[in-house]
Amino acid sequence: MALDQYYLLGTSGLRVSRLALGTMNFGTGGYHAAYGKTLDESRPIFRRYLEDGGNFVDTADFYTAGESETILGTLIAEAKVRDRVVLTTKFTNSVAPGDPNAGGNGRKHMIRALEDSLRRLGTDYVDLFLLHTWDRLTPVEEVLRTFDDLVRAGKIRYAGLSDVPSWYAAQAQTLARAHSSTPMINLQLPYSLVERQIEVEHVPMAQTLGLGLTAWSPLGGGFLSGKYRHDSANGLT
């Protein structure tokens, strides 16, 4: 699939490659250590993506305990492509065990998480800032107001959601439109030939409300890659 063909994300004016570069395995910290890549191992992956015309790069503060953002920031600076890439990061997961406000979707954590991400990425803004996971607690109005304030402050360009119920995304988008605040332009969800649940509600909701869908784990956690083989005695290996 060509990477130098670009598509509008949702109903925004933001143009992105059909395939994004996920960087969850850039770095060797946290629970990703078993399959993480060092800076030197990540560099050719990043450069090949750019050379093929890709411009949509995805990370999160939680990936490899923050190393993914640090490595990505270094690679972007080396290649001098900050203005070219559409840089996406996410917040929600706790990065400081024991601190009750160091995780979740509340305003205090959202702002702290973004400031920390900007520092690790070596930039003063991100193009797309996503709520990583629904925390089941924070009022959606609080999330929307904080997104709007961060856009007005120039620290993020666009806002979006990841791994939320369809009703939550619909509520967020409807409230944002009703109050003329920052809309959601992206909804990131698991989708593959073995994970198609989003087709029931999320897809028609996104089409109706103008949310661009991006898929994570398109190979079903490796299941569709062919690396697993069926053993008649022991099952999958």
Side-chain angles (χ1 to χ4, degrees), residues 15 46 74 76-77 116 167-168 176 181 183 185 204 213 230:
R15 294 171 173 81
F46 179 74
T74 299
I76 289 172
D116 288 345
W167 67 260
Y168 183 95
S181 60
I185 69 164
L213 284 171
H230 186 270

Side-chain angles (χ1 to χ4, degrees), residues 11-12 110 126-130 140-161 169 171-186 209-211:
T11 54
S12 76
M110 282 182 69
V126 294
D127 297 288
L128 179 60
F129 194 42
L130 300 183
V140 67
E141 294 86 352
E142 182 174 340
V143 175
L144 293 176
R145 178 58 186 272
T146 308
F147 271 143
D148 199 53
D149 288 345
L150 293 174
V151 168
R152 291 175 184 274
K155 294 187 177 183
I156 69 174
R157 299 294 187 257
Y158 297 93
L161 305 167
Q171 183 184 43
Q173 191 72 325
T174 301
L175 287 172
R177 286 181 171 181
H179 296 284
S180 299
S181 60
T182 298
M184 306 299 101
I185 69 164
N186 181 221
L209 296 180
L211 286 155

Side-chain angles (χ1 to χ4, degrees), residues 58 85 117 125 171 179 202 205 217:
D58 179 272
V85 299
S117 289
Y125 75 98
Q171 183 184 43
H179 296 284
H202 286 86
M205 179 276 301
S217 195

Side-chain angles (χ1 to χ4, degrees), residues 67-106:
E67 286 184 30
S68 173
E69 290 183 327
T70 301
I71 288 176
L72 190 54
T74 299
L75 295 176
I76 289 172
E78 286 180 353
K80 297 180 173 60
V81 291
R82 178 63 194 93
D83 289 336
R84 172 185 168 186
V85 299
V86 175
L87 181 57
T88 304
T89 193
K90 302 182 283 291
F91 74 94
T92 294
N93 295 291
S94 178
V95 294
D99 181 350
N101 289 306
N105 300 329

Side-chain angles (χ1 to χ4, degrees), residues 33-125:
Y35 55 87
K37 303 292 185 183
T38 65
L39 171 62
D40 289 338
E41 291 171 328
S42 302
R43 184 177 288 111
I45 298 171
F46 179 74
R47 290 188 174 178
R48 175 63 183 274
Y49 179 75
L50 293 181
E51 289 167 1
D52 286 350
N55 78 334
F56 196 12
V57 184
D58 179 272
T59 186
D61 59 356
F62 190 65
Y63 293 167
T64 56
E67 286 184 30
S68 173
E69 290 183 327
T70 301
I71 288 176
L72 190 54
T74 299
L75 295 176
I76 289 172
E78 286 180 353
K80 297 180 173 60
V81 291
R82 178 63 194 93
D83 289 336
R84 172 185 168 186
V85 299
V86 175
L87 181 57
T88 304
T89 193
K90 302 182 283 291
F91 74 94
T92 294
N93 295 291
S94 178
V95 294
D99 181 350
N101 289 306
N105 300 329
R107 181 181 182 87
K108 181 176 176 66
H109 177 60
M110 282 182 69
I111 295 173
R112 170 183 176 178
L114 178 62
E115 295 292 351
D116 288 345
S117 289
L118 294 176
R119 174 178 50 78
R120 286 190 291 265
L121 289 164
T123 185
D124 57 1
Y125 75 98

Side-chain angles (χ1 to χ4, degrees), residues 19 25 36 72 104 138 142 155 163 166 173 197-198 221 223-224:
L19 290 180
N25 65 338
L72 190 54
T138 308
E142 182 174 340
K155 294 187 177 183
D163 295 343
S166 60
Q173 191 72 325
Q197 294 180 12
I198 69 170
F223 182 78
L224 298 172

